[in-house]
Amino acid sequence: MILLNFSHPLSAEQMAAIEALLQAPVQRLLEVRNQMDAQQPLAPQVTAMADAAGLTPMEWQNEAILVNPPSLNYSAVTLLAELHGRMGYFPACVRLRPVAGAVPPRFEVAEILNIQAIRDTARQRGR
C-alpha cells in the first residue's frame, strides 16, 4: 500500500491506526507539499501537487493507493478529480477527527473512506 499524504505529517500513532484499519502495512509513505496560492488558479496547482507524488502512470493505475487529502476543501475535491483521472477510480481516503478535549489540539484516525464504493452506491440510488 502506498499512502499519499497531502496534509500535515502523520504521527506514529496515526500510522499505526491506519495500518490497523487496513489490516495491512503501509509500504511507502509519500509526503506531498500542498500549499495553495489563493491568488492563482487552483487546477494547475493541484496537478503539480499530484505530479509531486512522483508516481509513474503504471503505479497510478496498478498500485494500491490510500490518500490523506489536504484539509482545504476546494483543493481536496479538485485533487480527488485529478486522482480519479490518473487512476481510473476514486482512491480510498483517510479521515481524521479532532480528539475531544485535547490541549493542544490533536487529531486521530477516524476511518478509511472507500470513496469509490460510496460513489458506486450513490449511482444505484440515482437509477
Side-chain angles (χ1 to χ4, degrees):
M1 175 77 61
I2 298 172
L3 173 52
L4 299 177
N5 184 22
F6 295 97
S7 193
H8 299 284
L10 296 165
S11 69
E13 183 178 287
Q14 290 166 328
M15 288 297 296
I18 289 168
E19 291 182 334
L21 287 170
L22 293 173
Q23 297 181 345
V26 171
Q27 295 161 330
R28 285 171 59 193
L29 171 62
L30 301 175
E31 301 280 353
V32 182
R33 184 179 166 277
N34 69 2
Q35 191 66 36
M36 297 290 111
D37 181 345
Q39 302 307 311
Q40 300 299 317
L42 181 66
Q45 293 181 78
V46 169
T47 298
M49 189 168 58
D51 288 345
L55 298 179
T56 66
M58 183 72 78
E59 288 173 313
W60 282 116
Q61 294 178 26
N62 293 301
E63 294 294 328
I65 296 174
L66 176 65
V67 174
N68 186 27
S71 300
L72 196 57
N73 60 357
Y74 54 82
S75 61
V77 297
T78 306
L79 178 64
L80 283 178
E82 175 73 28
L83 296 184
H84 186 286
R86 291 173 187 235
M87 299 169 73
Y89 61 92
F90 288 107
C93 293
V94 177
R95 182 173 78 88
L96 301 178
R97 65 177 167 220
V99 174
V103 178
R106 288 185 302 120
F107 292 84
E108 65 187 358
V109 176
E111 61 186 322
I112 304 295
L113 298 168
N114 185 338
I115 304 298
Q116 184 65 44
I118 293 167
R119 180 254 183 228
D120 293 344
T121 299
R123 283 288 289 168
Q124 294 303 315
R125 283 194 298 275
R127 292 187 174 162

